[in-house]
Amino acid sequence: MPPTPSATPSPPSRKVALVSLRGDREFRKVRAHGQVIRTRFFQLRVTDYRPRYGEVWQPRAIIGIVVPKKTLRRAVDRNRARRRMHEALRTLPGLPPCRAILSPAALVLDAPFAELQAALGRALGSFDPKAKTKQTKPASQAGRRSEPGRPAAPAQDQP
């Protein structure tokens, strides 16, 4: 006997596709304009989703996972951390449309999977696309540089 549909239909869950962030240009844009969210498991730099020029509007999560050698020396560990984070993102319900760079810490290898998912969910849920991300320098200090370890010299007015 075929199963009968329930009397109350379940609301359609809006599933957002997970795509990898590709190309230096996309990474630079996220680094320049992204909001940084840090947890003990990872650092997440997020910007809101905007389609490229000429691209159709398809809200999706475009996330690049970057594991530097400074964090994990062995390639096996870097790949394992990357796979764990990708699977946690893939199985996370309610992924918001965004562009992001995810840099996992060494703790990712030993952390319980449910804890990783919870941390990712909290971090992506706390992202506010309307928040101001970068402080701009005043015009008087925009082109001035100082030596490392020394404060910038005060501006001198010429007559």
Side-chain angles (χ1 to χ4, degrees):
M1 190 172 186
T4 59
S6 64
T8 58
S10 62
S13 63
R14 183 172 174 159
K15 191 157 187 166
V16 175
L18 176 63
V19 181
S20 291
L21 191 67
R22 295 182 185 268
D24 184 52
R25 188 175 186 185
E26 288 188 17
F27 276 90
R28 277 190 279 127
K29 281 186 179 181
V30 174
R31 282 189 187 109
H33 304 291
Q35 175 184 351
V36 178
I37 301 167
R38 288 186 179 89
T39 69
R40 65 188 189 136
F41 296 120
F42 55 83
Q43 174 184 330
L44 184 67
R45 191 174 290 265
V46 192
T47 61
D48 57 337
Y49 171 77
R50 288 193 183 126
R52 294 186 200 120
Y53 179 77
E55 189 178 61
V56 178
W57 177 265
Q58 295 174 335
R60 58 193 177 186
I62 303 173
I63 300 176
I65 302 172
V66 178
V67 188
K69 281 186 180 180
K70 187 174 183 180
T71 304
L72 293 167
R73 296 297 294 169
R74 297 182 338 160
V76 173
D77 294 336
R78 290 194 302 272
N79 290 333
R80 186 165 165 247
R82 191 176 289 116
R83 282 194 309 269
R84 288 197 77 188
M85 294 308 289
H86 191 274
E87 185 62 18
L89 283 167
R90 191 185 69 78
T91 57
L92 193 67
L95 205 56
C98 63
R99 288 184 190 269
I101 298 174
L102 181 66
S103 299
L107 288 173
V108 168
L109 296 176
D110 300 324
F113 191 74
E115 214 173 311
L116 277 178
Q117 272 192 315
L120 272 170
R122 281 192 307 271
L124 287 169
S126 70
F127 167 61
D128 181 18
K130 307 236 185 305
K132 199 170 187 179
T133 56
K134 293 254 181 177
Q135 298 281 336
T136 56
K137 291 183 181 180
S140 62
Q141 294 182 2
R144 303 170 79 208
R145 294 184 182 234
S146 63
E147 293 179 12
R150 292 187 180 199
Q156 296 178 0
D157 295 328
Q158 294 184 357

